[in-house]
Amino acid sequence: MSPAPDERHRIRMAMDRILGGTPLRSNGALTIVALATEADVPRNALTQRHLDLKNEFYEKVRARGEMPDSEKRLRRQLVKAKELRAQALKEIDQLKADNEALVGALHQVVMENRQLRRQMAEQPSNVHVLPTQPQPSAR
């Protein structure tokens, strides 16, 4: 399908309306999707056929001291990702501390177990060690 002969003109007019704050067909967002909607052209008209107009649109947005909506969205996502990373690092630090405490407790229990076994071996008593595996029953 070939582009309409007035496609570039419609895109430029849509660009003027969006940047002027008077969109007719779109929500007026500073995005290529809104520009394509406003110009009544497929999005790929801007991403494939008229890259120069897409770049011109973004240049005009930046020249006005504004940021394209897609960039704003990416910046919000970056902030969220940094927050999640900080939270994950804090959780990792806590897990490391918990792991060290558990290893210490395990070491202490092993040492106490060795000491008790040594005491039992040295002093006969009325304490009997129970089997660890159930004995098969005879029928």
Side-chain angles (χ1 to χ4, degrees), residues 25-86:
R25 294 181 182 90
S26 71
N27 61 4
L30 301 175
T31 64
I32 293 304
V33 173
L35 180 59
T37 301
E38 186 66 28
D40 195 26
V41 299
R43 183 173 162 263
N44 72 345
L46 290 159
T47 60
Q48 295 175 10
R49 290 193 295 268
H50 306 296
L51 287 172
D52 60 321
L53 293 178
K54 177 188 86 159
N55 294 335
E56 180 182 329
F57 176 68
Y58 281 141
E59 286 171 17
K60 286 182 177 184
V61 168
R62 286 188 182 90
R64 294 173 52 174
E66 296 182 35
M67 188 182 305
D69 290 352
S70 58
E71 189 173 337
K72 289 178 188 176
R73 186 178 61 255
L74 288 173
R75 288 182 184 271
R76 284 192 304 269
Q77 288 175 345
L78 181 61
V79 167
K80 182 68 175 169
K82 286 181 179 180
E83 289 170 356
L84 289 172
R85 182 176 185 273

Side-chain angles (χ1 to χ4, degrees), residues 116-128:
L116 289 171
R117 287 183 185 273
R118 195 175 314 121
Q119 286 174 357
M120 283 179 58
E122 293 172 356
Q123 307 175 351
S125 69
N126 61 355
V127 177
H128 299 284

Side-chain angles (χ1 to χ4, degrees), residues 66-116:
E66 296 182 35
M67 188 182 305
D69 290 352
S70 58
E71 189 173 337
K72 289 178 188 176
R73 186 178 61 255
L74 288 173
R75 288 182 184 271
R76 284 192 304 269
Q77 288 175 345
L78 181 61
V79 167
K80 182 68 175 169
K82 286 181 179 180
E83 289 170 356
L84 289 172
R85 182 176 185 273
Q87 183 180 354
L89 289 174
K90 187 185 290 186
E91 187 175 336
I92 288 169
D93 287 343
Q94 182 62 51
L95 290 171
K96 284 180 180 178
D98 291 350
N99 188 46
E100 288 178 25
L102 290 170
V103 166
L106 178 62
H107 178 70
Q108 183 175 349
V109 168
V110 167
M111 296 307 293
E112 289 173 1
N113 190 24
R114 284 183 187 160
Q115 184 180 7
L116 289 171

